[in-house]
Amino acid sequence: MEVEDYRQKEKPEDAPDDYKPEWETVVEEKTINSMVPLWQRPRSKVEQEEYDSFYREKFGDWQPPLATVTTSSEGTVTFKALLFIPSATPYDFYTREYEKGLQLYSSGVLIMDKCADLLPDHFRFVKGVVDSADFSLNISREVLQHTRQLKTIAAALEKKIKNELVKLMKDDREKYEKFWAAFGRQLKYSVTEGYGAKKELLQDLLLFYSSTEKKLVTLAEYVDRMPESQKYIYYASGENAAAMDNLPQTELLRERNMEILYLTDQPDQLLMEILREYKDKPLRSAVDGDLDLEDMPEEKGADAYKEALDFIKEALGEEVDEVRVSRKLKTHPVCLTCGEGVSFEMERYFAAAQPEMGFKAQRILELNVEHPAFAALEEADASLGPTEDGGYYLVGLKKPCRALFAGQAYGHESVYENALAAIRGAGLRFRPAPPCRDVDVPEDLCRLPGTVRPDSHTARLLKILEWEGRNDG
Protein backbone atom coordinates (compact mmCIF):
# COMPACT_ATOMS: atom_id res chain seq x y z
CA MET A 1 0.00 0.00 0.00
CA GLU A 2 1.02 3.62 -0.44
CA VAL A 3 2.51 5.14 2.68
CA GLU A 4 3.31 8.80 3.27
CA ASP A 5 6.62 9.34 5.02
CA TYR A 6 9.06 12.13 5.84
CA ARG A 7 12.72 12.06 5.15
CA GLN A 8 15.69 14.40 5.25
CA LYS A 9 16.95 15.84 1.98
CA GLU A 10 20.53 15.21 0.99
CA LYS A 11 22.92 18.00 1.96
CA PRO A 12 24.11 20.01 -1.08
CA GLU A 13 27.83 19.89 -1.79
CA ASP A 14 28.06 23.68 -1.76
CA ALA A 15 26.03 24.12 1.41
CA PRO A 16 27.29 26.92 3.70
CA ASP A 17 28.60 26.25 7.20
CA ASP A 18 25.32 27.42 8.75
CA TYR A 19 23.23 25.04 6.59
CA LYS A 20 20.09 23.68 8.26
CA PRO A 21 18.66 20.27 7.30
CA GLU A 22 15.53 20.25 5.17
CA TRP A 23 12.75 17.64 5.18
CA GLU A 24 10.37 16.48 2.46
CA THR A 25 7.20 14.41 2.23
CA VAL A 26 7.49 11.16 0.24
CA VAL A 27 4.80 8.67 -0.81
CA GLU A 28 6.13 5.09 -1.15
CA GLU A 29 4.82 1.56 -1.67
CA LYS A 30 5.50 -0.40 1.54
CA THR A 31 4.56 -3.79 2.93
CA ILE A 32 3.16 -3.01 6.37
CA ASN A 33 2.88 -6.62 7.56
CA SER A 34 4.07 -9.57 5.51
CA MET A 35 1.97 -11.95 7.65
CA VAL A 36 4.47 -14.70 6.88
CA PRO A 37 5.48 -16.54 10.08
CA LEU A 38 9.15 -17.27 10.61
CA TRP A 39 8.65 -21.03 10.17
CA GLN A 40 6.97 -20.46 6.80
CA ARG A 41 9.91 -18.58 5.36
CA PRO A 42 12.78 -20.40 3.56
CA ARG A 43 15.71 -21.04 5.89
CA SER A 44 18.09 -19.47 3.40
CA LYS A 45 16.30 -16.15 3.87
CA VAL A 46 16.34 -16.16 7.67
CA GLU A 47 19.37 -15.21 9.76
CA GLN A 48 20.31 -17.36 12.76
CA GLU A 49 19.92 -14.25 14.95
CA GLU A 50 16.24 -14.13 13.96
CA TYR A 51 15.76 -17.77 14.98
CA ASP A 52 17.56 -17.15 18.28
CA SER A 53 15.47 -14.10 19.05
CA PHE A 54 12.25 -15.94 18.16
CA TYR A 55 13.20 -18.86 20.42
CA ARG A 56 14.05 -16.69 23.41
CA GLU A 57 10.87 -14.66 23.17
CA LYS A 58 8.56 -17.56 22.32
CA PHE A 59 9.78 -20.04 24.92
CA GLY A 60 11.13 -17.80 27.67
CA ASP A 61 14.76 -18.92 27.58
CA TRP A 62 17.55 -16.44 28.19
CA GLN A 63 20.05 -18.53 26.21
CA PRO A 64 20.01 -19.10 22.45
CA PRO A 65 19.16 -22.64 21.32
CA LEU A 66 21.93 -25.20 20.94
CA ALA A 67 20.57 -26.22 17.52
CA THR A 68 17.81 -25.12 15.17
CA VAL A 69 15.97 -27.67 13.02
CA THR A 70 13.63 -26.88 10.14
CA THR A 71 11.65 -29.45 8.20
CA SER A 72 8.63 -29.63 5.93
CA SER A 73 6.62 -32.22 4.05
CA GLU A 74 4.10 -32.23 1.23
CA GLY A 75 2.02 -35.18 0.17
CA THR A 76 -0.18 -37.37 2.33
CA VAL A 77 0.28 -34.85 5.13
CA THR A 78 1.49 -31.30 4.55
CA PHE A 79 3.28 -29.47 7.36
CA LYS A 80 6.17 -27.20 8.24
CA ALA A 81 8.06 -27.33 11.53
CA LEU A 82 10.60 -25.15 13.29
CA LEU A 83 12.27 -26.99 16.17
CA PHE A 84 14.85 -25.99 18.77
CA ILE A 85 17.16 -28.00 21.03
CA PRO A 86 17.78 -25.98 24.23
CA SER A 87 21.30 -25.22 25.42
CA ALA A 88 20.63 -26.23 29.01
CA THR A 89 18.32 -28.46 31.01
CA PRO A 90 15.15 -26.61 32.09
CA TYR A 91 15.00 -26.23 35.88
CA ASP A 92 11.88 -28.42 36.10
CA PHE A 93 12.81 -30.93 33.39
CA TYR A 94 12.99 -33.95 35.70
CA THR A 95 9.88 -33.04 37.67
CA ARG A 96 6.22 -33.88 37.20
CA GLU A 97 5.47 -30.21 36.53
CA TYR A 98 7.38 -30.24 33.23
CA GLU A 99 5.12 -30.43 30.18
CA LYS A 100 6.44 -31.58 26.85
CA GLY A 101 4.87 -30.62 23.52
CA LEU A 102 5.07 -28.43 20.45
CA GLN A 103 2.86 -25.53 19.51
CA LEU A 104 0.41 -26.68 16.82
CA TYR A 105 -0.87 -24.23 14.21
CA SER A 106 -3.32 -24.61 11.38
CA SER A 107 -2.59 -22.17 8.54
CA GLY A 108 -0.92 -19.76 10.96
CA VAL A 109 -3.64 -19.98 13.63
CA LEU A 110 -2.69 -21.51 16.99
CA ILE A 111 -4.95 -24.45 17.88
CA MET A 112 -2.93 -26.04 20.72
CA ASP A 113 -0.16 -24.52 22.85
CA LYS A 114 1.50 -27.81 23.88
CA CYS A 115 0.63 -30.79 21.74
CA ALA A 116 2.34 -33.64 23.63
CA ASP A 117 1.50 -36.23 20.98
CA LEU A 118 3.87 -34.58 18.49
CA LEU A 119 6.93 -35.51 20.58
CA PRO A 120 8.05 -38.93 21.89
CA ASP A 121 9.21 -38.99 25.50
CA HIS A 122 12.86 -39.54 24.56
CA PHE A 123 12.89 -36.20 22.70
CA ARG A 124 10.64 -34.32 25.09
CA PHE A 125 13.28 -31.62 25.57
CA VAL A 126 12.64 -30.25 22.05
CA LYS A 127 10.77 -26.94 21.71
CA GLY A 128 9.14 -25.54 18.59
CA VAL A 129 6.12 -25.06 16.36
CA VAL A 130 4.34 -27.19 13.76
CA ASP A 131 2.00 -25.70 11.17
CA SER A 132 -0.33 -27.83 9.02
CA ALA A 133 -3.37 -26.88 6.97
CA ASP A 134 -4.68 -30.46 7.35
CA PHE A 135 -6.22 -29.71 10.74
CA SER A 136 -9.55 -27.97 11.23
CA LEU A 137 -9.49 -24.82 13.33
CA ASN A 138 -12.29 -26.05 15.57
CA ILE A 139 -11.04 -29.61 16.05
CA SER A 140 -11.27 -30.84 19.64
CA ARG A 141 -8.24 -32.10 21.53
CA GLU A 142 -9.77 -35.57 21.94
CA VAL A 143 -10.37 -35.93 18.21
CA LEU A 144 -6.96 -34.47 17.36
CA GLN A 145 -5.10 -37.07 19.43
CA HIS A 146 -6.49 -39.91 17.30
CA THR A 147 -6.03 -38.42 13.84
CA ARG A 148 -3.82 -40.18 11.33
CA GLN A 149 -2.22 -36.89 10.31
CA LEU A 150 -0.95 -36.19 13.81
CA LYS A 151 0.67 -39.62 14.10
CA THR A 152 2.29 -39.23 10.68
CA ILE A 153 3.76 -35.84 11.62
CA ALA A 154 5.01 -37.18 14.97
CA ALA A 155 6.82 -40.09 13.26
CA ALA A 156 8.44 -37.71 10.75
CA LEU A 157 9.60 -35.36 13.50
CA GLU A 158 11.09 -38.23 15.54
CA LYS A 159 13.15 -39.35 12.54
CA LYS A 160 14.22 -35.78 11.76
CA ILE A 161 15.35 -35.06 15.32
CA LYS A 162 17.35 -38.29 15.47
CA ASN A 163 19.09 -37.50 12.16
CA GLU A 164 19.91 -33.96 13.27
CA LEU A 165 21.48 -35.23 16.51
CA VAL A 166 23.59 -37.76 14.60
CA LYS A 167 24.67 -34.99 12.23
CA LEU A 168 25.51 -32.73 15.16
CA MET A 169 27.63 -35.49 16.71
CA LYS A 170 29.66 -35.93 13.53
CA ASP A 171 29.98 -32.25 12.53
CA ASP A 172 30.35 -30.53 15.90
CA ARG A 173 31.38 -32.97 18.63
CA GLU A 174 31.94 -30.24 21.20
CA LYS A 175 28.41 -28.94 20.78
CA TYR A 176 27.00 -32.48 20.91
CA GLU A 177 28.83 -33.17 24.17
CA LYS A 178 27.22 -30.02 25.55
CA PHE A 179 23.86 -31.44 24.51
CA TRP A 180 24.80 -34.77 26.12
CA ALA A 181 25.65 -33.05 29.40
CA ALA A 182 22.20 -31.46 29.40
CA PHE A 183 20.00 -34.30 28.12
CA GLY A 184 22.11 -37.48 28.04
CA ARG A 185 20.40 -38.86 31.13
CA GLN A 186 17.02 -38.47 29.41
CA LEU A 187 18.23 -40.64 26.51
CA LYS A 188 19.53 -43.27 28.94
CA TYR A 189 16.22 -43.46 30.79
CA SER A 190 14.41 -43.68 27.46
CA VAL A 191 16.48 -46.70 26.37
CA THR A 192 15.51 -48.56 29.56
CA GLU A 193 11.80 -47.77 29.30
CA GLY A 194 9.51 -50.34 27.75
CA TYR A 195 12.14 -53.10 28.11
CA GLY A 196 14.33 -51.46 25.48
CA ALA A 197 11.64 -50.78 22.87
CA LYS A 198 13.59 -47.75 21.59
CA LYS A 199 17.16 -48.99 22.04
CA GLU A 200 17.76 -49.48 18.31
CA LEU A 201 16.72 -45.88 17.69
CA LEU A 202 18.77 -44.32 20.50
CA GLN A 203 21.88 -46.49 20.99
CA ASP A 204 23.97 -44.57 18.46
CA LEU A 205 23.33 -41.34 20.38
CA LEU A 206 24.83 -42.63 23.65
CA LEU A 207 28.21 -41.51 24.98
CA PHE A 208 30.48 -43.20 27.54
CA TYR A 209 33.80 -42.23 29.07
CA SER A 210 36.68 -44.32 27.70
CA SER A 211 39.50 -45.59 29.91
CA THR A 212 42.03 -45.41 27.07
CA GLU A 213 40.84 -42.39 25.08
CA LYS A 214 40.17 -40.32 28.23
CA LYS A 215 37.11 -38.75 26.64
CA LEU A 216 33.51 -39.53 25.74
CA VAL A 217 33.08 -42.09 22.96
CA THR A 218 30.20 -43.85 21.22
CA LEU A 219 29.63 -47.59 21.08
CA ALA A 220 30.41 -47.51 17.38
CA GLU A 221 33.78 -45.85 18.01
CA TYR A 222 34.59 -48.46 20.67
CA VAL A 223 33.78 -51.36 18.33
CA ASP A 224 35.86 -49.84 15.52
CA ARG A 225 38.92 -49.85 17.81
CA MET A 226 38.43 -53.39 19.13
CA PRO A 227 41.12 -55.97 18.27
CA GLU A 228 39.79 -58.87 16.22
CA SER A 229 40.43 -61.26 19.11
CA GLN A 230 38.35 -59.24 21.59
CA LYS A 231 34.93 -60.81 22.16
CA TYR A 232 33.24 -58.29 24.43
CA ILE A 233 32.61 -54.61 25.01
CA TYR A 234 33.89 -54.19 28.57
CA TYR A 235 32.46 -51.69 31.04
CA ALA A 236 32.87 -50.87 34.73
CA SER A 237 30.78 -48.88 37.19
CA GLY A 238 31.94 -46.51 39.91
CA GLU A 239 31.70 -43.06 41.41
CA ASN A 240 34.11 -41.43 38.95
CA ALA A 241 36.80 -42.19 36.40
CA ALA A 242 39.64 -41.72 38.91
CA ALA A 243 38.19 -44.41 41.19
CA MET A 244 37.66 -46.83 38.30
CA ASP A 245 41.21 -46.31 37.05
CA ASN A 246 42.32 -48.07 40.25
CA LEU A 247 39.76 -50.85 40.42
CA PRO A 248 41.57 -54.11 41.21
CA GLN A 249 39.13 -56.07 39.02
CA THR A 250 40.20 -54.20 35.87
CA GLU A 251 43.98 -54.27 36.20
CA LEU A 252 44.35 -57.27 33.89
CA LEU A 253 42.42 -55.43 31.15
CA ARG A 254 44.39 -52.24 31.75
CA GLU A 255 47.66 -54.18 31.60
CA ARG A 256 46.67 -55.34 28.11
CA ASN A 257 45.64 -51.79 27.16
CA MET A 258 42.05 -52.90 26.52
CA GLU A 259 39.42 -50.20 26.45
CA ILE A 260 36.81 -50.06 29.23
CA LEU A 261 33.69 -47.91 29.23
CA TYR A 262 33.25 -46.15 32.57
CA LEU A 263 29.72 -45.84 33.94
CA THR A 264 29.17 -43.12 36.54
CA ASP A 265 25.48 -42.25 36.19
CA GLN A 266 22.60 -43.86 38.09
CA PRO A 267 20.78 -45.46 35.12
CA ASP A 268 23.97 -46.75 33.45
CA GLN A 269 23.93 -50.29 34.83
CA LEU A 270 20.28 -50.85 33.91
CA LEU A 271 21.07 -49.34 30.52
CA MET A 272 23.74 -52.00 29.90
CA GLU A 273 21.37 -54.75 30.99
CA ILE A 274 18.86 -53.53 28.39
CA LEU A 275 21.36 -53.03 25.56
CA ARG A 276 22.97 -56.47 26.04
CA GLU A 277 24.99 -56.16 22.81
CA TYR A 278 25.98 -53.76 20.06
CA LYS A 279 26.79 -54.86 16.50
CA ASP A 280 26.90 -58.50 17.61
CA LYS A 281 29.42 -57.68 20.36
CA PRO A 282 28.06 -58.59 23.83
CA LEU A 283 28.52 -56.08 26.63
CA ARG A 284 30.33 -57.52 29.64
CA SER A 285 31.10 -56.10 33.07
CA ALA A 286 34.82 -55.94 33.79
CA VAL A 287 34.03 -56.09 37.50
CA ASP A 288 31.70 -59.09 37.64
CA GLY A 289 32.60 -62.71 36.96
CA ASP A 290 35.14 -64.02 34.47
CA LEU A 291 36.66 -61.71 31.84
CA ASP A 292 36.83 -64.57 29.30
CA LEU A 293 40.06 -63.29 27.74
CA GLU A 294 42.40 -65.20 25.49
CA ASP A 295 45.60 -66.37 27.22
CA MET A 296 44.09 -65.95 30.66
CA PRO A 297 46.42 -66.91 33.54
CA GLU A 298 46.13 -70.55 34.44
CA GLU A 299 43.66 -71.26 37.19
CA LYS A 300 45.48 -71.96 40.42
CA GLY A 301 44.26 -75.03 42.25
CA ALA A 302 41.94 -74.04 45.07
CA ASP A 303 42.76 -77.26 46.96
CA ALA A 304 46.23 -75.99 47.73
CA TYR A 305 44.78 -73.00 49.57
CA LYS A 306 41.66 -74.64 50.95
CA GLU A 307 42.49 -74.08 54.61
CA ALA A 308 43.01 -70.35 54.21
CA LEU A 309 39.97 -69.92 51.93
CA ASP A 310 37.74 -71.86 54.32
CA PHE A 311 38.93 -69.75 57.24
CA ILE A 312 38.15 -66.49 55.47
CA LYS A 313 34.71 -67.75 54.41
CA GLU A 314 33.96 -68.84 57.99
CA ALA A 315 35.14 -65.52 59.39
CA LEU A 316 33.06 -63.49 56.93
CA GLY A 317 30.03 -65.73 57.28
CA GLU A 318 27.06 -64.44 55.26
CA GLU A 319 28.94 -61.30 54.20
CA VAL A 320 30.15 -63.24 51.14
CA ASP A 321 28.73 -66.19 49.23
CA GLU A 322 32.06 -67.57 48.11
CA VAL A 323 35.80 -67.07 48.60
CA ARG A 324 38.04 -68.21 45.76
CA VAL A 325 41.42 -67.78 44.11
CA SER A 326 41.45 -64.95 41.58
CA ARG A 327 42.57 -65.18 37.95
CA LYS A 328 42.25 -61.45 37.24
CA LEU A 329 44.34 -59.85 40.02
CA LYS A 330 47.95 -58.90 39.35
CA THR A 331 49.21 -56.51 42.02
CA HIS A 332 46.22 -56.10 44.34
CA PRO A 333 45.68 -58.59 47.15
CA VAL A 334 41.92 -58.94 47.02
CA CYS A 335 38.82 -57.83 45.11
CA LEU A 336 35.09 -58.28 45.32
CA THR A 337 33.09 -59.53 42.33
CA CYS A 338 29.56 -60.75 41.89
CA GLY A 339 28.21 -63.94 40.39
CA GLU A 340 25.65 -64.44 37.66
CA GLY A 341 22.44 -62.44 37.79
CA VAL A 342 22.11 -59.22 39.76
CA SER A 343 25.16 -56.92 39.80
CA PHE A 344 26.19 -54.61 42.64
CA GLU A 345 24.99 -51.57 40.69
CA MET A 346 21.64 -53.21 40.00
CA GLU A 347 21.32 -54.03 43.68
CA ARG A 348 21.92 -50.40 44.64
CA TYR A 349 19.62 -49.14 41.90
CA PHE A 350 16.68 -51.27 43.01
CA ALA A 351 17.45 -50.64 46.68
CA ALA A 352 16.84 -46.96 45.99
CA ALA A 353 14.00 -47.29 43.46
CA GLN A 354 12.14 -50.45 44.56
CA PRO A 355 13.50 -51.67 47.91
CA GLU A 356 10.58 -54.06 48.33
CA MET A 357 11.96 -56.18 45.45
CA GLY A 358 14.84 -57.32 47.67
CA PHE A 359 17.35 -57.84 44.84
CA LYS A 360 20.74 -58.95 46.16
CA ALA A 361 23.95 -59.60 44.28
CA GLN A 362 25.99 -62.74 44.86
CA ARG A 363 29.21 -61.61 46.57
CA ILE A 364 32.44 -63.40 45.68
CA LEU A 365 35.69 -62.48 47.39
CA GLU A 366 38.67 -63.17 45.13
CA LEU A 367 42.17 -63.48 46.59
CA ASN A 368 45.50 -63.03 44.88
CA VAL A 369 47.46 -65.99 46.25
CA GLU A 370 50.71 -64.57 44.84
CA HIS A 371 50.43 -61.37 46.89
CA PRO A 372 52.74 -61.05 49.95
CA ALA A 373 49.73 -60.38 52.14
CA PHE A 374 48.29 -63.79 51.35
CA ALA A 375 51.62 -65.41 52.13
CA ALA A 376 51.55 -63.71 55.55
CA LEU A 377 48.05 -65.06 56.07
CA GLU A 378 49.17 -68.60 55.31
CA GLU A 379 52.12 -68.30 57.66
CA ALA A 380 49.71 -67.34 60.45
CA ASP A 381 47.46 -70.37 59.81
CA ALA A 382 48.54 -72.19 62.97
CA SER A 383 47.00 -69.54 65.20
CA LEU A 384 43.90 -68.63 63.19
CA GLY A 385 40.44 -68.75 64.66
CA PRO A 386 39.12 -68.64 68.26
CA THR A 387 41.59 -69.81 70.87
CA GLU A 388 41.41 -70.66 74.54
CA ASP A 389 43.59 -67.71 75.54
CA GLY A 390 41.31 -65.17 73.89
CA GLY A 391 42.63 -65.03 70.34
CA TYR A 392 40.20 -63.16 68.06
CA TYR A 393 39.38 -62.79 64.42
CA LEU A 394 35.68 -61.96 64.03
CA VAL A 395 35.85 -58.31 65.17
CA GLY A 396 39.03 -57.59 63.26
CA LEU A 397 37.39 -58.88 60.06
CA LYS A 398 33.82 -57.74 60.48
CA LYS A 399 34.67 -54.06 60.85
CA PRO A 400 36.52 -53.71 57.52
CA CYS A 401 34.05 -55.95 55.72
CA ARG A 402 31.14 -53.77 56.72
CA ALA A 403 32.96 -50.89 55.06
CA LEU A 404 33.79 -53.13 52.11
CA PHE A 405 30.16 -53.93 51.40
CA ALA A 406 28.59 -50.60 52.36
CA GLY A 407 27.18 -49.05 49.19
CA GLN A 408 29.94 -47.39 47.19
CA ALA A 409 32.87 -48.53 49.34
CA TYR A 410 33.81 -51.56 47.25
CA GLY A 411 35.24 -49.38 44.47
CA HIS A 412 38.37 -48.37 46.34
CA GLU A 413 41.39 -50.61 46.41
CA SER A 414 42.51 -49.29 49.81
CA VAL A 415 39.44 -50.86 51.36
CA TYR A 416 40.39 -54.23 49.94
CA GLU A 417 43.95 -53.95 51.16
CA ASN A 418 42.74 -52.92 54.61
CA ALA A 419 40.35 -55.86 54.67
CA LEU A 420 43.20 -58.23 53.96
CA ALA A 421 45.38 -56.40 56.48
CA ALA A 422 42.71 -57.18 59.05
CA ILE A 423 42.78 -60.83 57.94
CA ARG A 424 46.51 -60.85 58.54
CA GLY A 425 45.99 -59.24 61.93
CA ALA A 426 43.39 -61.88 62.71
CA GLY A 427 46.12 -64.50 62.93
CA LEU A 428 47.76 -62.77 65.91
CA ARG A 429 47.08 -64.13 69.38
CA PHE A 430 46.26 -61.89 72.34
CA ARG A 431 45.64 -62.40 75.99
CA PRO A 432 42.12 -61.30 77.00
CA ALA A 433 41.82 -57.76 78.27
CA PRO A 434 39.48 -56.87 81.12
CA PRO A 435 35.99 -55.87 79.94
CA CYS A 436 35.57 -52.16 79.31
CA ARG A 437 32.33 -50.76 77.93
CA ASP A 438 33.37 -47.11 77.75
CA VAL A 439 35.69 -47.38 74.77
CA ASP A 440 35.19 -44.97 71.85
CA VAL A 441 35.88 -46.86 68.64
CA PRO A 442 37.71 -44.56 66.16
CA GLU A 443 35.95 -43.83 62.89
CA ASP A 444 38.94 -45.09 60.91
CA LEU A 445 38.81 -48.52 62.51
CA CYS A 446 37.42 -49.91 59.24
CA ARG A 447 40.38 -48.45 57.34
CA LEU A 448 43.24 -50.16 59.14
CA PRO A 449 46.54 -48.77 57.78
CA GLY A 450 48.42 -51.97 57.18
CA THR A 451 49.06 -54.98 59.38
CA VAL A 452 47.66 -54.87 62.93
CA ARG A 453 50.58 -55.02 65.39
CA PRO A 454 49.98 -56.86 68.70
CA ASP A 455 51.13 -53.84 70.70
CA SER A 456 49.11 -51.24 68.76
CA HIS A 457 46.26 -49.20 70.21
CA THR A 458 43.94 -50.50 67.47
CA ALA A 459 44.79 -54.09 68.39
CA ARG A 460 43.90 -53.43 72.02
CA LEU A 461 40.58 -51.90 70.98
CA LEU A 462 39.80 -54.88 68.78
CA LYS A 463 40.63 -57.20 71.67
CA ILE A 464 38.26 -55.33 74.00
CA LEU A 465 35.47 -55.32 71.40
CA GLU A 466 35.89 -59.06 70.86
CA TRP A 467 35.72 -59.62 74.62
CA GLU A 468 32.48 -57.65 74.82
CA GLY A 469 31.05 -59.51 71.83
CA ARG A 470 31.58 -62.85 73.54
CA ASN A 471 30.16 -61.66 76.83
CA ASP A 472 27.12 -60.01 75.19
CA GLY A 473 26.45 -63.21 73.27
Side-chain angles (χ1 to χ4, degrees):
M1 60 178 295
E2 291 185 350
V3 178
E4 188 176 276
D5 197 6
Y6 295 92
R7 69 182 180 189
Q8 184 177 341
K9 292 182 179 180
E10 294 184 5
K11 181 179 178 180
E13 295 181 0
D14 56 349
D17 294 338
D18 58 350
Y19 172 80
K20 295 182 179 180
E22 297 181 2
W23 296 79
E24 62 181 350
T25 302
V26 180
V27 178
E28 296 179 327
E29 285 283 340
K30 283 189 176 181
T31 302
I32 301 300
N33 190 344
S34 67
M35 298 301 291
V36 178
L38 192 67
W39 58 87
Q40 294 281 10
R41 294 160 56 187
R43 180 155 189 169
S44 59
K45 295 186 178 180
V46 181
E47 298 293 335
Q48 184 60 45
E49 290 75 12
E50 293 182 79
Y51 285 131
D52 294 349
S53 177
F54 175 83
Y55 168 77
R56 285 194 293 261
E57 293 175 7
K58 192 76 169 177
F59 302 104
D61 195 345
W62 62 275
Q63 298 184 72
L66 187 70
T68 303
V69 181
T70 59
T71 183
S72 61
S73 175
E74 295 182 2
T76 307
V77 178
T78 301
F79 73 92
K80 290 187 177 182
L82 174 59
L83 309 176
F84 302 97
I85 298 175
S87 297
T89 313
Y91 71 94
D92 61 345
F93 186 69
Y94 291 106
T95 69
R96 295 181 179 179
E97 287 71 31
Y98 182 82
E99 295 182 62
K100 70 169 184 174
L102 304 175
Q103 290 188 341
L104 181 59
Y105 287 78
S106 178
S107 301
V109 178
L110 180 66
I111 59 176
M112 187 178 294
D113 185 50
K114 288 187 177 180
C115 184
D117 295 302
L118 284 172
L119 279 178
D121 284 342
H122 42 275
F123 293 147
R124 67 193 187 104
F125 49 81
V126 175
K127 307 283 188 181
V129 299
V130 175
D131 196 339
S132 175
D134 294 338
F135 299 113
S136 172
L137 293 178
N138 59 356
I139 190 172
S140 67
R141 178 171 299 187
E142 290 74 17
V143 174
L144 179 65
Q145 291 174 338
H146 300 287
T147 59
R148 177 184 56 82
Q149 294 94 328
L150 190 71
K151 294 178 181 179
T152 302
I153 294 175
L157 293 180
E158 180 184 50
K159 183 177 180 180
K160 179 65 176 180
I161 295 169
K162 159 72 183 299
N163 292 339
E164 286 295 321
L165 289 175
V166 171
K167 183 174 182 292
L168 181 65
M169 181 191 294
K170 293 180 179 179
D171 297 345
D172 194 337
R173 188 57 170 263
E174 182 178 352
K175 185 176 285 188
Y176 185 82
E177 290 185 7
K178 184 178 179 181
F179 157 78
W180 180 256
F183 302 107
R185 178 174 289 191
Q186 173 61 35
L187 296 183
K188 293 177 184 179
Y189 280 127
S190 299
V191 171
T192 63
E193 290 176 354
Y195 301 98
K198 293 292 183 179
K199 71 176 183 180
E200 298 293 335
L201 175 74
L202 302 175
Q203 62 186 2
D204 288 324
L205 299 176
L206 303 176
L207 292 181
F208 303 94
Y209 187 84
S210 167
S211 64
T212 56
E213 300 299 309
K214 303 301 181 184
K215 63 180 182 180
L216 294 172
V217 300
T218 66
L219 291 173
E221 291 166 347
Y222 181 104
V223 171
D224 289 342
R225 286 191 293 268
M226 285 176 61
E228 291 184 6
S229 59
Q230 185 175 334
K231 303 176 185 178
Y232 303 99
I233 299 173
Y234 291 103
Y235 65 88
S237 300
E239 293 181 359
N240 51 59
M244 285 182 281
D245 277 337
N246 296 313
L247 277 176
Q249 298 93 325
T250 62
E251 64 176 337
L252 185 59
L253 291 175
R254 287 185 278 110
E255 183 186 67
R256 300 185 181 194
N257 200 33
M258 298 182 73
E259 189 171 3
I260 307 170
L261 300 179
Y262 286 168
L263 313 182
T264 57
D265 208 2
Q266 184 185 26
D268 284 344
Q269 182 64 36
L270 187 58
L271 174 69
M272 292 304 190
E273 296 291 337
I274 294 295
L275 288 175
R276 296 282 181 177
E277 64 177 23
Y278 180 79
K279 292 185 177 178
D280 298 325
K281 295 289 185 180
L283 282 80
R284 193 180 191 90
S285 172
V287 176
D288 307 332
D290 190 6
L291 298 176
D292 195 15
L293 295 171
E294 288 190 349
D295 303 323
M296 281 284 287
E298 292 184 7
E299 188 170 359
K300 303 172 181 67
D303 293 339
Y305 310 99
K306 186 177 186 304
E307 187 176 356
L309 298 179
D310 289 346
F311 159 70
I312 297 171
K313 177 64 178 78
E314 179 186 355
L316 295 177
E318 296 183 357
E319 299 260 15
V320 296
D321 297 282
E322 182 184 349
V323 178
R324 69 187 182 195
V325 177
S326 177
R327 297 179 64 198
K328 63 175 67 172
L329 291 175
K330 301 290 289 183
T331 60
H332 292 82
V334 60
C335 73
L336 185 68
T337 62
C338 73
E340 297 294 331
V342 181
S343 65
F344 296 125
E345 292 75 21
M346 289 287 287
E347 178 182 313
R348 286 201 296 272
Y349 178 85
F350 283 107
Q354 296 175 296
E356 67 280 1
M357 299 293 288
F359 284 114
K360 186 174 177 62
Q362 182 186 17
R363 286 160 165 74
I364 301 174
L365 191 67
E366 296 192 9
L367 299 176
N368 182 1
V369 296
E370 296 180 354
H371 194 277
F374 189 84
L377 173 62
E378 286 201 302
E379 290 173 5
D381 262 358
S383 57
L384 292 179
T387 61
E388 293 180 359
D389 62 346
Y392 76 95
Y393 61 87
L394 286 178
V395 174
L397 285 173
K398 287 284 188 178
K399 280 287 180 179
C401 288
R402 288 195 185 103
L404 184 65
F405 303 135
Q408 305 289 339
Y410 83 92
H412 302 277
E413 72 280 7
S414 60
V415 179
Y416 298 108
E417 293 176 358
N418 295 335
L420 196 59
I423 293 174
R424 294 170 62 188
L428 302 171
R429 299 163 65 97
F430 301 100
R431 294 187 178 276
C436 176
R437 298 182 179 276
D438 296 321
V439 177
D440 292 326
V441 181
E443 286 293 327
D444 62 346
L445 186 60
C446 62
R447 299 187 294 276
L448 302 178
T451 305
V452 180
R453 294 182 292 106
D455 59 343
S456 67
H457 177 65
T458 300
R460 290 194 293 273
L461 283 175
L462 290 175
K463 184 168 53 174
I464 293 170
L465 289 170
E466 192 275 339
W467 176 285
E468 290 195 353
R470 292 203 312 271
N471 283 275
D472 289 343

